[in-house]
PDB file of all heavy atoms in Angstrom:
ATOM      1  N   PHE A 119     110.363 113.799  93.916  1.00  0.00           N
ATOM      2  CA  PHE A 119     111.792 113.783  94.313  1.00  0.00           C
ATOM      3  C   PHE A 119     112.595 112.810  93.537  1.00  0.00           C
ATOM      4  O   PHE A 119     112.101 111.787  93.068  1.00  0.00           O
ATOM      5  CB  PHE A 119     111.849 113.300  95.803  1.00  0.00           C
ATOM      6  CG  PHE A 119     111.286 114.303  96.803  1.00  0.00           C
ATOM      7  CD1 PHE A 119     110.069 113.955  97.491  1.00  0.00           C
ATOM      8  CD2 PHE A 119     111.837 115.489  97.070  1.00  0.00           C
ATOM      9  CE1 PHE A 119     109.561 114.804  98.442  1.00  0.00           C
ATOM     10  CE2 PHE A 119     111.285 116.406  97.982  1.00  0.00           C
ATOM     11  CZ  PHE A 119     110.109 116.038  98.714  1.00  0.00           C
ATOM     12  N   SER A 120     113.909 113.149  93.363  1.00  0.00           N
ATOM     13  CA  SER A 120     114.859 112.246  92.796  1.00  0.00           C
ATOM     14  C   SER A 120     116.143 112.264  93.583  1.00  0.00           C
ATOM     15  O   SER A 120     116.503 113.310  94.092  1.00  0.00           O
ATOM     16  CB  SER A 120     115.191 112.624  91.349  1.00  0.00           C
ATOM     17  OG  SER A 120     114.078 112.736  90.508  1.00  0.00           O
ATOM     18  N   ARG A 121     116.745 111.129  93.698  1.00  0.00           N
ATOM     19  CA  ARG A 121     118.111 111.070  94.176  1.00  0.00           C
ATOM     20  C   ARG A 121     119.038 111.454  93.034  1.00  0.00           C
ATOM     21  O   ARG A 121     118.592 111.638  91.902  1.00  0.00           O
ATOM     22  CB  ARG A 121     118.461 109.666  94.736  1.00  0.00           C
ATOM     23  CG  ARG A 121     117.708 109.253  95.954  1.00  0.00           C
ATOM     24  CD  ARG A 121     118.172 107.948  96.526  1.00  0.00           C
ATOM     25  NE  ARG A 121     117.288 107.502  97.651  1.00  0.00           N
ATOM     26  CZ  ARG A 121     117.453 107.798  98.866  1.00  0.00           C
ATOM     27  NH1 ARG A 121     118.482 108.648  99.210  1.00  0.00           N
ATOM     28  NH2 ARG A 121     116.691 107.428  99.844  1.00  0.00           N
ATOM     29  N   ALA A 122     120.276 111.580  93.325  1.00  0.00           N
ATOM     30  CA  ALA A 122     121.303 112.008  92.267  1.00  0.00           C
ATOM     31  C   ALA A 122     121.179 110.944  91.158  1.00  0.00           C
ATOM     32  O   ALA A 122     120.950 109.781  91.307  1.00  0.00           O
ATOM     33  CB  ALA A 122     122.685 111.989  92.840  1.00  0.00           C
ATOM     34  N   GLY A 123     121.327 111.449  89.904  1.00  0.00           N
ATOM     35  CA  GLY A 123     121.188 110.610  88.720  1.00  0.00           C
ATOM     36  C   GLY A 123     119.803 110.243  88.423  1.00  0.00           C
ATOM     37  O   GLY A 123     119.582 109.239  87.706  1.00  0.00           O
ATOM     38  N   ALA A 124     118.838 111.084  88.831  1.00  0.00           N
ATOM     39  CA  ALA A 124     117.435 110.825  88.503  1.00  0.00           C
ATOM     40  C   ALA A 124     116.890 109.568  89.029  1.00  0.00           C
ATOM     41  O   ALA A 124     115.895 109.075  88.572  1.00  0.00           O
ATOM     42  CB  ALA A 124     117.190 110.980  87.005  1.00  0.00           C
ATOM     43  N   ARG A 125     117.485 109.034  90.098  1.00  0.00           N
ATOM     44  CA  ARG A 125     116.946 107.748  90.710  1.00  0.00           C
ATOM     45  C   ARG A 125     115.722 108.075  91.519  1.00  0.00           C
ATOM     46  O   ARG A 125     115.674 109.133  92.190  1.00  0.00           O
ATOM     47  CB  ARG A 125     118.058 107.146  91.560  1.00  0.00           C
ATOM     48  CG  ARG A 125     119.182 106.475  90.740  1.00  0.00           C
ATOM     49  CD  ARG A 125     120.213 105.778  91.646  1.00  0.00           C
ATOM     50  NE  ARG A 125     120.864 106.801  92.476  1.00  0.00           N
ATOM     51  CZ  ARG A 125     121.144 106.629  93.745  1.00  0.00           C
ATOM     52  NH1 ARG A 125     120.763 105.530  94.393  1.00  0.00           N
ATOM     53  NH2 ARG A 125     121.816 107.536  94.459  1.00  0.00           N
ATOM     54  N   GLY A 126     114.753 107.222  91.505  1.00  0.00           N
ATOM     55  CA  GLY A 126     113.474 107.479  92.162  1.00  0.00           C
ATOM     56  C   GLY A 126     113.522 107.305  93.611  1.00  0.00           C
ATOM     57  O   GLY A 126     114.372 106.653  94.230  1.00  0.00           O
ATOM     58  N   ILE A 127     112.534 107.948  94.303  1.00  0.00           N
ATOM     59  CA  ILE A 127     112.362 107.845  95.744  1.00  0.00           C
ATOM     60  C   ILE A 127     110.934 107.524  95.957  1.00  0.00           C
ATOM     61  O   ILE A 127     110.037 108.284  95.586  1.00  0.00           O
ATOM     62  CB  ILE A 127     112.718 109.159  96.494  1.00  0.00           C
ATOM     63  CG1 ILE A 127     114.168 109.506  96.243  1.00  0.00           C
ATOM     64  CG2 ILE A 127     112.405 109.011  97.952  1.00  0.00           C
ATOM     65  CD1 ILE A 127     114.636 110.795  97.014  1.00  0.00           C
ATOM     66  N   SER A 128     110.686 106.357  96.545  1.00  0.00           N
ATOM     67  CA  SER A 128     109.288 105.978  96.905  1.00  0.00           C
ATOM     68  C   SER A 128     109.140 105.990  98.428  1.00  0.00           C
ATOM     69  O   SER A 128     110.068 106.317  99.157  1.00  0.00           O
ATOM     70  CB  SER A 128     109.025 104.560  96.362  1.00  0.00           C
ATOM     71  OG  SER A 128     109.818 103.610  97.061  1.00  0.00           O
ATOM     72  N   PHE A 129     107.921 105.680  98.845  1.00  0.00           N
ATOM     73  CA  PHE A 129     107.653 105.720 100.252  1.00  0.00           C
ATOM     74  C   PHE A 129     108.554 104.786 101.040  1.00  0.00           C
ATOM     75  O   PHE A 129     109.003 105.124 102.149  1.00  0.00           O
ATOM     76  CB  PHE A 129     106.178 105.316 100.524  1.00  0.00           C
ATOM     77  CG  PHE A 129     105.689 105.648 101.894  1.00  0.00           C
ATOM     78  CD1 PHE A 129     105.446 107.019 102.225  1.00  0.00           C
ATOM     79  CD2 PHE A 129     105.426 104.679 102.784  1.00  0.00           C
ATOM     80  CE1 PHE A 129     104.963 107.330 103.509  1.00  0.00           C
ATOM     81  CE2 PHE A 129     104.988 105.033 104.071  1.00  0.00           C
ATOM     82  CZ  PHE A 129     104.717 106.280 104.437  1.00  0.00           C
ATOM     83  N   ASP A 130     108.888 103.709 100.446  1.00  0.00           N
ATOM     84  CA  ASP A 130     109.667 102.663 101.086  1.00  0.00           C
ATOM     85  C   ASP A 130     111.169 102.863 100.912  1.00  0.00           C
ATOM     86  O   ASP A 130     112.004 102.226 101.555  1.00  0.00           O
ATOM     87  CB  ASP A 130     109.336 101.263 100.584  1.00  0.00           C
ATOM     88  CG  ASP A 130     107.967 100.871 101.030  1.00  0.00           C
ATOM     89  OD1 ASP A 130     107.498 101.291 102.099  1.00  0.00           O
ATOM     90  OD2 ASP A 130     107.314 100.045 100.277  1.00  0.00           O
ATOM     91  N   THR A 131     111.589 103.833 100.032  1.00  0.00           N
ATOM     92  CA  THR A 131     113.031 104.106  99.825  1.00  0.00           C
ATOM     93  C   THR A 131     113.445 105.488 100.133  1.00  0.00           C
ATOM     94  O   THR A 131     114.341 106.033  99.562  1.00  0.00           O
ATOM     95  CB  THR A 131     113.401 103.757  98.339  1.00  0.00           C
ATOM     96  OG1 THR A 131     112.649 104.584  97.434  1.00  0.00           O
ATOM     97  CG2 THR A 131     113.075 102.299  98.061  1.00  0.00           C
ATOM     98  N   GLY A 132     112.716 106.175 101.062  1.00  0.00           N
ATOM     99  CA  GLY A 132     113.135 107.445 101.542  1.00  0.00           C
ATOM    100  C   GLY A 132     112.015 108.441 101.841  1.00  0.00           C
ATOM    101  O   GLY A 132     112.158 109.341 102.607  1.00  0.00           O
ATOM    102  N   LEU A 133     110.921 108.323 101.130  1.00  0.00           N
ATOM    103  CA  LEU A 133     109.796 109.266 101.268  1.00  0.00           C
ATOM    104  C   LEU A 133     109.191 109.250 102.689  1.00  0.00           C
ATOM    105  O   LEU A 133     108.823 110.296 103.222  1.00  0.00           O
ATOM    106  CB  LEU A 133     108.750 109.067 100.192  1.00  0.00           C
ATOM    107  CG  LEU A 133     107.778 110.210  99.896  1.00  0.00           C
ATOM    108  CD1 LEU A 133     108.539 111.503  99.722  1.00  0.00           C
ATOM    109  CD2 LEU A 133     106.929 109.896  98.664  1.00  0.00           C
ATOM    110  N   ARG A 134     109.102 108.048 103.262  1.00  0.00           N
ATOM    111  CA  ARG A 134     108.620 107.996 104.644  1.00  0.00           C
ATOM    112  C   ARG A 134     109.550 108.717 105.578  1.00  0.00           C
ATOM    113  O   ARG A 134     109.066 109.413 106.446  1.00  0.00           O
ATOM    114  CB  ARG A 134     108.501 106.496 105.042  1.00  0.00           C
ATOM    115  CG  ARG A 134     108.000 106.318 106.540  1.00  0.00           C
ATOM    116  CD  ARG A 134     108.231 104.955 107.043  1.00  0.00           C
ATOM    117  NE  ARG A 134     107.260 103.986 106.538  1.00  0.00           N
ATOM    118  CZ  ARG A 134     107.527 103.023 105.708  1.00  0.00           C
ATOM    119  NH1 ARG A 134     108.781 102.869 105.239  1.00  0.00           N
ATOM    120  NH2 ARG A 134     106.583 102.177 105.296  1.00  0.00           N
ATOM    121  N   SER A 135     110.813 108.539 105.438  1.00  0.00           N
ATOM    122  CA  SER A 135     111.791 109.244 106.243  1.00  0.00           C
ATOM    123  C   SER A 135     111.736 110.748 106.059  1.00  0.00           C
ATOM    124  O   SER A 135     111.834 111.490 107.022  1.00  0.00           O
ATOM    125  CB  SER A 135     113.233 108.692 105.948  1.00  0.00           C
ATOM    126  OG  SER A 135     113.309 107.354 106.291  1.00  0.00           O
ATOM    127  N   ILE A 136     111.588 111.163 104.816  1.00  0.00           N
ATOM    128  CA  ILE A 136     111.421 112.609 104.607  1.00  0.00           C
ATOM    129  C   ILE A 136     110.183 113.156 105.299  1.00  0.00           C
ATOM    130  O   ILE A 136     110.273 114.224 105.919  1.00  0.00           O
ATOM    131  CB  ILE A 136     111.337 112.844 103.027  1.00  0.00           C
ATOM    132  CG1 ILE A 136     112.708 112.523 102.370  1.00  0.00           C
ATOM    133  CG2 ILE A 136     110.951 114.332 102.752  1.00  0.00           C
ATOM    134  CD1 ILE A 136     112.621 112.491 100.842  1.00  0.00           C
ATOM    135  N   ARG A 137     109.100 112.456 105.176  1.00  0.00           N
ATOM    136  CA  ARG A 137     107.892 112.869 105.878  1.00  0.00           C
ATOM    137  C   ARG A 137     108.071 113.001 107.350  1.00  0.00           C
ATOM    138  O   ARG A 137     107.699 114.026 107.996  1.00  0.00           O
ATOM    139  CB  ARG A 137     106.737 111.859 105.612  1.00  0.00           C
ATOM    140  CG  ARG A 137     105.446 112.144 106.201  1.00  0.00           C
ATOM    141  CD  ARG A 137     104.515 110.940 106.336  1.00  0.00           C
ATOM    142  NE  ARG A 137     105.034 109.953 107.261  1.00  0.00           N
ATOM    143  CZ  ARG A 137     104.463 108.740 107.421  1.00  0.00           C
ATOM    144  NH1 ARG A 137     103.478 108.403 106.652  1.00  0.00           N
ATOM    145  NH2 ARG A 137     105.034 107.911 108.283  1.00  0.00           N
ATOM    146  N   ASP A 138     108.674 111.950 107.976  1.00  0.00           N
ATOM    147  CA  ASP A 138     108.822 111.968 109.434  1.00  0.00           C
ATOM    148  C   ASP A 138     109.762 113.047 109.871  1.00  0.00           C
ATOM    149  O   ASP A 138     109.521 113.672 110.931  1.00  0.00           O
ATOM    150  CB  ASP A 138     109.337 110.581 109.876  1.00  0.00           C
ATOM    151  CG  ASP A 138     108.328 109.450 109.680  1.00  0.00           C
ATOM    152  OD1 ASP A 138     107.156 109.801 109.396  1.00  0.00           O
ATOM    153  OD2 ASP A 138     108.704 108.289 109.712  1.00  0.00           O
ATOM    154  N   ARG A 139     110.871 113.307 109.128  1.00  0.00           N
ATOM    155  CA  ARG A 139     111.790 114.349 109.527  1.00  0.00           C
ATOM    156  C   ARG A 139     111.111 115.713 109.420  1.00  0.00           C
ATOM    157  O   ARG A 139     111.226 116.597 110.273  1.00  0.00           O
ATOM    158  CB  ARG A 139     112.997 114.363 108.582  1.00  0.00           C
ATOM    159  CG  ARG A 139     113.929 113.139 108.755  1.00  0.00           C
ATOM    160  CD  ARG A 139     115.031 113.226 107.659  1.00  0.00           C
ATOM    161  NE  ARG A 139     115.807 111.983 107.539  1.00  0.00           N
ATOM    162  CZ  ARG A 139     116.974 111.832 108.040  1.00  0.00           C
ATOM    163  NH1 ARG A 139     117.524 112.754 108.814  1.00  0.00           N
ATOM    164  NH2 ARG A 139     117.690 110.725 107.907  1.00  0.00           N
ATOM    165  N   ALA A 140     110.349 115.879 108.261  1.00  0.00           N
ATOM    166  CA  ALA A 140     109.661 117.142 108.080  1.00  0.00           C
ATOM    167  C   ALA A 140     108.620 117.390 109.151  1.00  0.00           C
ATOM    168  O   ALA A 140     108.448 118.529 109.606  1.00  0.00           O
ATOM    169  CB  ALA A 140     109.037 117.189 106.706  1.00  0.00           C
TER     170      ALA A 140
END
Side-chain angles (χ1 to χ4, degrees):
F119 293 113
S120 304
R121 294 186 187 272
R125 288 181 295 138
I127 298 180
S128 68
F129 195 72
D130 293 330
T131 61
L133 198 49
R134 179 194 283 109
S135 297
I136 293 169
R137 181 199 67 187
D138 293 345
R139 291 173 192 264

